[in-house]
Amino acid sequence: MKYIVLAIFSLMAPFISYAADSAAPIIEKPDHTVISHALSMHTEPKYHADFDHFNYVNPEAPKGGTIKLATIGTFDNFNRYASRGVAASRSGELYDALFLASEDELGVYYPLIATQAEYSDSWDWIAVDINPSARFHDDIPITADDFVFSFDKFMTEGVPQFRKYYEDIRVTAEHAHRLIITLQEPDKEKLFGLLTLPVLPSHYWAGKDFSEPAITPPIGSGAYYIADYKLGQQVTYQLVDNYWAKDLPVNKGRYNFQQIIYDYYRDSNVALEAFKAGEYDFRSESSAKNWATLYQGPPFERGDIITETIPHSIPQAMSALVFNTERTLFQDAKVREALAYAFDFEWMNKALFYGQYSRNRSYFQSSPYEAKGLPNDAELDYLAPFIDQLPPRLFTETYNPPISDGDGLIRNNLLKAKYLLEDAGWVIQNQQLVHQDTGQYFQFELMISTPDQERTALPFQANLRRLGIDMRIRMVDSAQFVNRMRSRDYDMIDRGFNANRYPDGSLTIVWHSNYIDSTYNAAGVQDPIIDSLTMTIAESQGDGEALAALGPALDRVLQWNFFVIPKWHLNAFWVAYWDKFARPSLRADYALGLDTWWSTQVQ
């Protein structure tokens, strides 16, 4: 469950202190315990205990060379988990974890700092053995006490969501190379959620406030350390020469570059021109217009720069314009639905994107859990208790975002929007939309952070103006965007929701009322039906049949509440790189796998 952990590790905020119990618990082991090299949520692990390397790597890949990458924005510290500031790219990967997720399986983990795990078949405890060879970058051994310390740091100085989610967890060290995690109530997913917890060096972080930015690089344990930096401009990661885990099966064939350098650019257009000039080496493109029109010129014609469209079947994020439903203006679902009719995707795709995108419609886009057609009997079993509170259309219609002819003339869609707005009490007065009871003008702000977002927001703004709605577009830098996200200071944002490979407990962090302060609940949703479904999903981990119904059931409820205006997705990677790299013949199913590439310039 690295997705749960990543979700609740992010955007840290301090809160009341928590004291971890240092005494090892007494566990009366049941008759049925399991000792395993790998842990899996749903399926049998693909790789056996004696596996040598993942299938999607080249174990003989040469080590060496440099890859330069670019990122947009700036950074002011190296603590990925600080409650303020913007951390440097890749700084979350400074620390190893107990286990590493395979990138060609779903929810399967193999030992990194750990060597094996012992657990009860009821999943109310797990004991993890620590590799005696595990070391931090300063050659201090990694021990079970470091994991206990890390858990305590996240509990006392991390986001409140972490403490709430793990409040019934007890983490203790039996001895230096064995730790035990126990639960008050059995919960496989919660136990798995800690497998990817970054293990911090207690000798470094003791006495330091983990919620505060770190303006100097901390001691890590991963494959790379920060060798050089210019704050806000560049950061250089150097491969650890004596990295203790370099020959482990989970790492063989990975981390092949001697140096990884991130250059920071304030503008994506400037960054693209810098790439074409050879200022950095690899670029993953996200703009259809750029991909169609700007990847040309002498370096491309000579073959110095290679461009590839690499198809994939990775579940896609719900990129969208997200309503802040805590704003009075957007608490009526009719209003939210109405505004979606003013968003003309078909015209944008034709005029701006060269027809290269597909429309988002699901929170499980491109996965088996996407709601399609009408609810089946298994889904209805979970939805039936709420039938009187759910929109009737959920049971009789398939949700799809509004569509147009793509000619830019959306009069019919705007008429539908007008009727919905009238039903919600909004009327036109002097060419402005006004609420008939309060006299409030329909005005709001869309917060964005890139010029590409502005390019697609402007046609939407023009269509809203025809409805008498005044949408102001506010572009802010990445730091301001994060800060306003944290304080929920926005009406609408261009952001969306992370992709879900399958329904898991991280959905509670995103949608459950108990986690309303989570910045991942960008729409500010507090709904008892969604609370119930997400909790049932969390309780059903490991039950593939239940999840096959619960995923689409939740998807339908989210779709018909119109919390977002869906944007688009692409089931492919657009990549461009200078002709000095190679990659394995087999790509992982669920990642591009840049860390498995290598330099062809190494002698």
Side-chain angles (χ1 to χ4, degrees):
M1 281 317 86
K2 72 177 180 179
Y3 307 104
I4 302 175
V5 177
L6 289 175
I8 54 187
F9 287 171
S10 301
L11 304 172
M12 308 300 280
F15 53 92
I16 192 168
S17 178
Y18 166 89
D21 190 343
S22 60
I26 298 173
I27 297 177
E28 295 187 12
K29 296 180 181 178
D31 293 336
H32 300 289
T33 64
V34 180
I35 297 177
S36 178
H37 74 292
L39 296 169
S40 176
M41 278 301 302
H42 305 292
T43 60
E44 287 296 315
K46 175 187 293 188
Y47 300 98
H48 299 295
D50 59 351
F51 86 102
D52 182 67
H53 58 82
F54 291 131
N55 291 344
Y56 50 84
V57 306
N58 173 11
E60 305 302 324
K63 304 286 185 181
T66 297
I67 184 169
K68 291 189 71 174
L69 306 171
T71 188
I72 305 301
T74 185
F75 72 97
D76 58 14
N77 81 96
F78 302 98
N79 180 11
R80 173 67 179 82
Y81 312 106
S83 62
R84 58 188 179 86
V86 179
S89 293
R90 203 186 177 91
S91 56
E93 300 176 46
L94 287 171
Y95 311 101
D96 278 338
L98 296 175
F99 286 78
L100 181 78
S102 165
E103 292 184 337
D104 58 354
E105 300 170 273
L106 291 178
V108 184
Y109 302 84
Y110 296 90
L112 181 49
I113 292 175
T115 57
Q116 64 179 18
E118 179 181 5
Y119 52 90
S120 69
D121 57 1
S122 62
W123 294 105
D124 57 355
W125 65 269
I126 187 171
V128 178
D129 292 333
I130 304 295
N131 193 326
S133 300
R135 294 289 188 274
F136 292 107
H137 290 162
D138 57 2
D139 206 35
I140 300 296
I142 301 174
T143 69
D145 288 321
D146 289 302
F147 184 88
V148 175
F149 172 86
S150 302
F151 180 76
D152 181 54
K153 271 291 187 184
F154 278 101
M155 287 294 283
T156 57
E157 297 167 11
V159 291
Q161 293 82 8
F162 187 95
R163 175 174 180 149
K164 188 167 188 63
Y165 189 74
Y166 289 113
E167 61 187 355
D168 60 343
I169 289 272
R170 189 180 183 194
V171 178
T172 58
E174 185 173 282
H175 55 73
H177 298 126
R178 185 177 174 88
L179 64 91
I180 298 174
I181 305 170
T182 58
L183 273 168
Q184 292 179 11
E185 297 290 337
D187 191 324
K188 182 179 182 181
E189 188 176 31
K190 279 191 180 179
L191 291 177
F192 274 41
L194 292 177
L195 298 180
T196 53
L197 180 81
V199 180
L200 310 171
S202 57
H203 61 283
Y204 176 84
W205 280 104
K208 294 182 174 69
D209 189 343
F210 191 53
S211 69
E212 288 296 309
I215 59 173
T216 57
I219 293 171
S221 59
Y224 291 90
Y225 69 96
I226 297 174
D228 194 15
Y229 63 91
K230 295 178 181 178
L231 208 62
Q233 301 177 46
Q234 187 183 81
V235 59
T236 299
Y237 290 88
Q238 185 81 17
L239 188 66
V240 177
D241 290 334
N242 59 343
Y243 177 42
W244 72 273
K246 63 182 179 180
D247 294 321
L248 291 181
V250 293
N251 282 337
K252 195 171 292 186
R254 302 173 65 225
Y255 308 130
N256 300 316
F257 298 110
Q258 189 69 25
Q259 278 191 338
I260 302 174
I261 300 174
Y262 287 88
D263 282 335
Y264 279 75
Y265 292 85
R266 298 284 180 158
D267 182 270
S268 58
N269 294 325
V270 172
L272 175 56
E273 293 308 312
F275 168 72
K276 291 193 284 188
E279 295 297 321
Y280 61 96
D281 302 316
F282 174 93
R283 181 176 173 88
S284 181
E285 183 56 68
S286 59
S287 166
K289 179 183 178 182
N290 288 353
W291 188 249
T293 64
L294 299 182
Y295 285 79
Q296 52 189 297
F300 300 92
E301 295 164 5
R302 292 193 303 265
D304 295 339
I305 297 178
I306 298 171
T307 59
E308 290 189 85
T309 298
I310 305 175
H312 65 69
S313 56
I314 299 172
Q316 294 297 293
M318 171 58 91
S319 67
L321 303 180
V322 184
F323 296 100
N324 181 358
T325 62
E326 292 187 326
R327 294 286 203 255
T328 303
L329 189 63
F330 295 134
Q331 288 178 354
D332 191 327
K334 290 180 181 178
V335 169
R336 302 195 296 269
E337 181 181 4
L339 266 60
Y341 279 101
F343 192 85
D344 191 354
F345 164 75
E346 284 72 25
W347 178 84
M348 290 185 192
N349 198 31
K350 178 181 177 181
L352 304 179
F353 308 142
Y354 299 84
Q356 297 182 88
Y357 288 133
S358 299
R359 187 77 188 270
N360 285 345
R361 61 170 303 277
S362 170
Y363 293 85
F364 295 96
Q365 190 73 50
S366 304
S367 87
Y369 304 95
E370 180 178 348
K372 296 179 179 179
L374 300 180
N376 60 31
D377 290 342
E379 294 174 52
L380 290 173
D381 287 342
Y382 292 106
L383 295 170
F386 314 108
I387 191 168
D388 293 334
Q389 295 106 306
L390 289 169
R393 288 181 292 174
L394 185 151
F395 300 96
T396 60
E397 298 179 31
T398 298
Y399 168 83
N400 280 298
I403 62 173
S404 74
D405 293 332
D407 57 8
L409 304 175
I410 58 167
R411 182 175 182 276
N412 289 338
N413 280 359
L414 294 181
L415 281 174
K416 293 175 183 178
K418 176 178 178 290
Y419 297 145
L420 284 166
L421 290 166
E422 288 176 349
D423 285 346
W426 294 90
V427 295
I428 290 288
Q429 292 182 5
N430 299 322
Q431 298 184 327
Q432 289 183 298
L433 199 62
V434 178
H435 198 278
Q436 61 187 11
D437 295 330
T438 65
Q440 174 189 2
Y441 288 104
F442 203 123
Q443 299 174 329
F444 71 97
E445 179 182 278
L446 168 63
M447 184 171 71
I448 61 174
S449 59
T450 70
D452 282 343
Q453 291 174 340
E454 182 179 36
R455 190 164 64 100
T456 57
L458 288 171
F460 180 49
Q461 181 187 53
N463 287 336
L464 289 177
R465 191 176 295 119
R466 294 172 63 186
L467 291 170
I469 296 173
D470 177 19
M471 183 187 80
R472 300 178 299 277
I473 300 172
R474 175 68 61 87
M475 187 184 302
V476 299
D477 62 28
S478 57
Q480 288 176 298
F481 194 93
V482 170
N483 288 334
R484 288 186 61 177
M485 276 287 299
R486 287 170 174 162
S487 60
R488 207 179 292 279
D489 179 21
Y490 55 86
D491 301 324
M492 174 186 280
I493 55 171
D494 191 325
R495 181 177 186 262
F497 296 86
N498 291 335
N500 295 289
R501 295 180 179 179
Y502 59 91
D504 63 31
S506 67
L507 293 167
T508 59
I509 309 298
V510 178
W511 297 108
H512 198 284
S513 299
N514 286 348
Y515 298 91
I516 186 61
D517 291 333
S518 165
T519 54
Y520 286 88
N521 188 346
V525 174
Q526 299 184 73
D527 185 295
I529 299 173
I530 294 172
D531 288 352
S532 177
L533 289 173
T534 53
M535 287 303 298
T536 305
I537 286 171
E539 293 162 359
S540 301
Q541 293 304 299
D543 186 341
E545 185 177 345
L547 295 178
L550 282 163
L554 175 64
D555 199 20
R556 296 180 195 281
V557 174
L558 297 176
Q559 289 172 334
W560 287 103
N561 270 286
F562 307 103
F563 295 127
V564 305
I565 299 176
K567 292 177 64 180
W568 45 81
H569 67 275
L570 175 75
N571 285 114
F573 296 112
W574 287 328
V575 297
Y577 52 93
W578 284 80
D579 186 18
K580 51 185 177 180
F581 304 109
R583 67 176 188 267
S585 57
L586 179 66
R587 182 181 59 80
D589 291 339
Y590 301 107
L592 174 61
L594 188 59
D595 67 352
T596 68
W597 293 32
W598 62 90
S599 172
T600 57
Q601 299 181 333
V602 177
Q603 300 297 322

